[in-house]
Amino acid sequence: KYRPEVFFRAARYVYKRGQFTRKMLHDTPVVDAIRETYECLHPALDHLTNKTPKTVRDALDHNAFIFSGFKVYHSLREVGLSLTKEDGTIKSVEEFRASVRAIHTRYNERYLESEYEHAVGSALMADRWHSTAPKSILEYRTAGDNKVRPAHEAIDGTRLPKDDRFWLDYFPPNGWGCR
């Protein structure tokens, strides 16, 4: 669970600075927000087993950290942009707080849940990939319900060797929310 006080501390820092720039990514309140996001995503990697090579586990871990940095950058960029109203005047503290709460809810509650589920799916499928024999025939299967995307439904049932180039683009999870 994301600790909101970490994000709010970073937002106060942006408020005191009067802006958010990429150079602030090295500053303690921002680094703390990146670490907090990473700590929420990192448990998804617990789904990996010893069958998954260390290089793949390390790459997934690195990806979670880099993703956390980009996520915090974009959320704090929105915080910086929310310092002023559309007419360019400075928002009151109450208006700014409301904007920051809305940004927190969007990025650290709604988005983070989806991001965690995607990380779990990626970890599970990486593990499955590395536990499958090299000469295996793989089959793309959807959940088979009315939530399946048309693009995924179109390739449902595709059976190809593991070394086919198809799997470079279509191995699940195949986009956000892919089940």
Side-chain angles (χ1 to χ4, degrees), residues 3 14-15 18 56 95 118 140 146 150 179:
R3 295 177 299 147
V14 170
Y15 180 80
V56 173
E95 291 172 309
H118 186 76
Y140 189 95
N146 64 350
R179 301 168 287 135

Side-chain angles (χ1 to χ4, degrees), residues 117-173:
E117 292 301 322
H118 186 76
V120 167
S122 296
L124 290 171
M125 294 312 287
D127 196 52
R128 189 172 287 173
W129 177 266
H130 289 286
S131 65
T132 305
K135 300 284 185 189
S136 296
I137 300 293
L138 303 179
E139 181 177 356
Y140 189 95
R141 282 186 253 160
T142 68
D145 59 21
N146 64 350
K147 296 180 182 177
V148 175
R149 298 171 205 172
H152 296 188
E153 188 175 32
I155 58 175
D156 188 37
T158 299
R159 293 175 48 89
L160 295 165
K162 183 179 178 180
D163 62 358
D164 192 284
R165 294 189 51 76
F166 172 87
W167 300 115
L168 295 174
D169 294 321
Y170 298 107
F171 197 78

Side-chain angles (χ1 to χ4, degrees), residues 16 23 39 74 104:
K16 288 178 183 174
K23 290 181 181 179
E39 291 301 324
H74 284 285
H104 165 70

